[in-house]
């Protein structure tokens, strides 16, 4: 029986130190029917020469070079339009696939019915020197997960937990076709895509770390990143509000909104605090604590410095 084609789309932006390892991890997969599409998203470092070196051993890979940096959604959608795979994996130039990842996820798909559109897993977190620093899903001293991923209808659970590691997902092509790819108005597309896809398709969780993620730089000092991230989350929550059909979905969404309202408050994104508050008020009656946070947003207290210290105690930091 013919093997289904899997497309791996790798987006690279100024990741010259890591992208070579990422591409080799795709090349060394135990599964052979892989279409690799590499997008350099306007890098200004030596990433392109690293990619070109890799192409010498893998000349059949498709290389798309963007002259200017685009948001992830635009760059990914462009690559998606060149792809042919029945299944799609989206990674960045700081991710590493374990050798049997594609094979393991395809095996999972082969046992699932057509309601399932996404297979995902845990991920191991590494520092820039490839030292282990943790996992996506937190574990105790006995290496047991506190809260592992869910399978089936995960829509409401997306709001109650931090969202799924997008680098760990294998997505059936039909999902992207149904949703018209990523929303190109968003700088960070993960949460919104998961909300829209989970409303229509089931997810399946594999309890193993099939992807390694290098934590690069210090996002806690990047105010532009934090603002763009929270704005994308807000838009995802707004999409979810329009998609929700049941009160339990709105209750779960309210939990999510309150979590990110606080993060907007403590990172001094005060205009976003009020927008999260406005959305929350459409879903449920505001509590006294909600009014307290909204009132605090009107003050000029420098809360970000305290929030940074709090997050540093919760290492490793990857996203909010």
């Amino acid at each position: 029986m013919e093997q289904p084609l899997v497309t791996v789309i790798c987006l690279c932006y100024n990741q010259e130190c890591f992208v070579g390892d990422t591409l080799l991890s795709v090349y060394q997969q135990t599964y052979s029917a892989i279409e690799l599409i590499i997008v350099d998203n306007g890098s200004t470092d030596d990433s392109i020469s690293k990619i070109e070196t890799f192409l010498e051993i893998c000349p059949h890979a498709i290389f798309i070079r963007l002259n200017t940096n685009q948001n992830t959604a635009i760059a990914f959608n462009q690559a998606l339009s060149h792809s042919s795979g029945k299944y799609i994996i989206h990674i960045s130039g700081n991710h590493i696939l374990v050798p049997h990842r594609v094979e393991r996820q395809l095996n999972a798909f082969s046992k699932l019915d057509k309601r399932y559109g996404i297979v995902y897993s845990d991920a191991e977190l590494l520092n820039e020197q490839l030292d282990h620093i943790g996992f996506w899903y937190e574990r105790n001293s006995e290496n047991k997960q506190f809260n592992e991923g869910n399978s089936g209808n995960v829509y409401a659970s997306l709001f109650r937990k931090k969202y799924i590691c997008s680098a760990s997902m294998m997505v059936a092509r039909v999902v992207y076709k149904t949703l018209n790819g990523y929303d190109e108005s968003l700088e960070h597309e993960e949460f919104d895509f998961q909300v829209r896809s989970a409303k229509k398709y089931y997810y399946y969780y594999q309890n193993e770390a099939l992807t390694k993620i290098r934590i690069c730089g210090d996002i806690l000092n990047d105010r532009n990143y934090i603002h763009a991230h929270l704005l994308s989350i807000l838009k995802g929550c707004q999409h979810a509000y329009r998609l929700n059909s049941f009160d339990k979905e709105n209750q779960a969404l309210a939990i999510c909104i309150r979590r990110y309202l606080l993060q907007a408050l403590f990172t001094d994104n005060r205009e976003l605090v009020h927008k999260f508050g406005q959305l929350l008020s459409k879903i449920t009656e505001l509590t006294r604590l909600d009014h307290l946070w909204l009132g605090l947003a009107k003050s000029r207290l420098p809360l970000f410095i305290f929030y940074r210290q709090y997050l540093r105690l919760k290492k490793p930091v990857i996203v909010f």
Side-chain angles (χ1 to χ4, degrees):
M1 188 171 67
E2 186 178 355
Q3 292 180 310
L5 183 66
V6 176
T7 297
V8 177
I9 296 175
C10 176
L11 302 188
C12 174
Y13 177 64
N14 288 347
Q15 292 165 317
E16 61 179 352
C17 296
F18 314 126
V19 68
D21 291 338
T22 299
L23 298 176
L24 279 175
S25 76
V26 179
Y27 182 73
Q28 294 170 348
Q29 286 294 296
T30 57
Y31 186 81
S32 59
I34 293 177
E35 173 188 61
L36 174 58
I37 301 179
I38 309 163
V39 181
D40 181 77
N41 196 5
S43 293
T44 56
D45 64 359
D46 203 32
S47 292
I48 290 175
S49 69
K50 301 294 185 182
I51 294 170
E52 290 174 340
T53 298
F54 170 78
L55 291 173
E56 293 176 4
I57 65 169
C58 188
H60 59 276
I62 300 171
F63 181 31
I64 300 172
R65 182 174 176 178
L66 302 181
N67 293 326
T68 58
N69 181 250
Q70 306 290 327
N71 74 38
T72 299
I74 292 173
F76 175 84
N77 283 347
Q78 184 167 339
L80 185 65
S81 69
H82 288 83
S83 70
S84 303
K86 183 178 180 180
Y87 301 99
I88 312 292
I89 292 174
H90 169 203
I91 58 174
S92 297
N94 62 316
H95 301 152
I96 297 172
L97 310 188
V98 302
H100 56 281
R101 171 177 164 177
V102 173
E103 182 178 3
R104 289 281 297 138
Q105 293 193 309
L106 277 178
N107 285 341
F109 259 120
S110 70
K111 300 172 184 177
L112 300 171
D113 61 48
K114 293 184 178 180
R115 293 175 298 173
Y116 287 84
I118 296 93
V119 169
Y120 72 106
S121 71
D122 199 1
E124 183 182 8
L125 310 181
L126 310 173
N127 62 20
E128 295 186 13
Q129 293 73 42
L130 295 179
D131 300 318
H132 172 85
I133 55 176
F135 291 94
W136 184 266
Y137 292 105
E138 294 182 24
R139 304 182 183 217
N140 61 22
S141 58
E142 298 176 348
N143 206 31
K144 280 191 169 184
Q145 293 180 1
F146 290 121
N147 293 296
E148 66 178 41
N150 295 331
S151 293
N153 183 352
V154 304
Y155 180 72
S157 68
L158 286 174
F159 306 131
R160 296 189 178 97
K161 302 179 181 181
K162 75 174 181 180
Y163 52 76
I164 291 166
C165 176
S166 60
S168 78
M169 300 193 315
M170 177 182 280
V171 183
R173 185 179 194 85
V174 65
V175 178
Y176 284 115
K177 183 177 180 180
T178 302
L179 301 180
N180 295 315
Y182 291 157
D183 183 339
E184 296 186 359
S185 70
L186 302 179
E187 185 71 22
H188 301 275
E189 79 298 329
E190 301 101 320
F191 178 70
D192 177 76
F193 174 77
Q194 290 172 22
V195 166
R196 293 189 295 130
S197 59
K199 187 66 174 176
K200 292 180 176 292
Y201 295 94
Y202 282 4
Y203 277 56
Y204 179 78
Y205 177 66
Q206 292 175 299
N207 191 1
E208 54 186 319
L210 296 176
T211 305
K212 301 181 181 184
I213 300 176
R214 275 170 156 161
I215 309 302
C216 307
D218 184 5
I219 64 171
L220 298 183
N221 286 321
D222 190 340
R223 287 180 177 270
N224 290 331
Y225 173 90
I226 293 169
H227 177 80
H229 173 80
L230 288 170
L231 181 59
S232 295
I233 292 290
L234 173 64
K235 290 181 178 179
C237 289
Q238 291 168 338
H239 286 169
Y241 173 66
R242 293 192 290 270
L243 289 172
N244 284 356
S245 306
F246 307 104
D247 184 58
K248 68 176 183 179
E249 294 174 342
N250 279 332
Q251 291 175 6
L253 180 58
I255 293 171
C256 178
I257 292 171
R258 286 187 169 106
R259 180 167 67 248
Y260 287 107
L261 183 154
L262 279 178
Q263 289 171 2
L265 173 64
F266 284 96
T267 55
D268 295 335
N269 284 280
R270 301 175 193 278
E271 75 286 359
L272 294 182
V273 174
H274 293 291
K275 290 180 179 180
F276 277 115
Q278 289 171 354
L279 181 58
L280 182 62
S281 67
K282 294 179 180 180
I283 297 173
T284 186
E285 185 177 350
L286 298 183
T287 66
R288 290 183 179 179
L289 192 57
D290 294 330
H291 285 294
L292 173 64
W293 300 134
L294 292 170
L296 193 56
K298 297 177 181 179
S299 73
R300 295 190 175 274
L301 292 175
L303 301 173
F304 190 34
I305 186 171
F306 300 107
Y307 187 67
R308 289 176 70 247
Q309 293 302 317
Y310 163 72
L311 286 181
R312 290 191 187 285
L313 296 174
K314 293 187 65 177
K315 291 182 179 181
V317 176
I318 179 168
V319 292
F320 296 121

